[in-house]
Each structure stands twice: as structure tokens, then as C-alpha cells.
Amino acid sequence: MAVFLADEQPESDLRDPADQRRLIHAAFADADEETAKVLDHLAGAEAFRFGAVSQVRMDTWSRGRTTLVGDAGYATGGAVSCGATLAIMGGTSWQAN
């Protein structure tokens, strides 16, 4: 798995595998020799998957009787996917007075 940050949404078509591979090569262009070897194998990889991860920042996780839970309210970071466990822990540690 390779993860990289981008300040803006790329202008390329994120559904196009050729564009996806170009984005990855550009993101890791200055990486070390071992990373370059891995990237050399990317062109012929059959089991290639690419996805974008986004983060929404909010002032509050709740409004009135509506509260964000699971990954929506407790995700610790992009592509972590342990939000459901954290939501259960958060829900059991909070008690209404």
C-alpha cells in the first residue's frame, strides 16, 4: 500500500488506471531507489487498486439530537477504518447525566 498527500484534487481522471499510475509516479518521483524498483513493477500489475481518501473537518460532531459515530465521527486518520471500534468505546465511556 502506498499513501501520498495532495494539497488539491488532481485534474486527471481518477477512474483511469493510466492516470492513476501517472499520479503515483509523480508523487514518488523523488523517492529512494527501492521505491523506484517497486514503481517499475506498477505498469504490469494486474491487482492494482487506487482510491482517494478525503477528510472533512467540522467544528462539532453533533447538532441537536444528531451525532456522527463510527468512521464519520471517530476515524483517527485516512484509510485507518477503526472508527466503529472507537465509536463503541466512545459511546460506552460517555454517560448522560
Side-chain angles (χ1 to χ4, degrees):
M1 182 168 102
V3 178
F4 62 92
L5 297 174
D7 292 331
E8 299 175 359
Q9 178 75 24
E11 292 187 23
S12 61
D13 183 0
L14 293 179
R15 295 169 294 180
D16 178 21
D19 279 350
Q20 295 169 355
R21 286 175 168 86
R22 277 193 287 277
L23 282 170
I24 292 171
H25 277 280
F28 294 99
D30 295 333
D32 62 14
E33 184 177 322
E34 291 301 314
T35 302
K37 289 178 186 178
V38 172
L39 291 177
D40 287 343
H41 294 285
L42 186 59
E46 293 179 23
F48 173 73
R49 300 290 180 266
F50 184 92
V53 177
S54 301
Q55 182 180 34
V56 176
R57 295 178 186 241
M58 300 180 67
D59 294 331
T60 181
W61 292 359
S62 64
R63 181 175 294 148
R65 293 172 38 179
T66 304
T67 302
L68 296 175
V69 297
D71 284 346
Y74 287 91
T76 56
V80 176
S81 296
C82 63
T85 303
L86 291 172
I88 292 168
M89 292 172 60
T92 57
S93 66
W94 180 85
Q95 295 182 15
N97 291 328

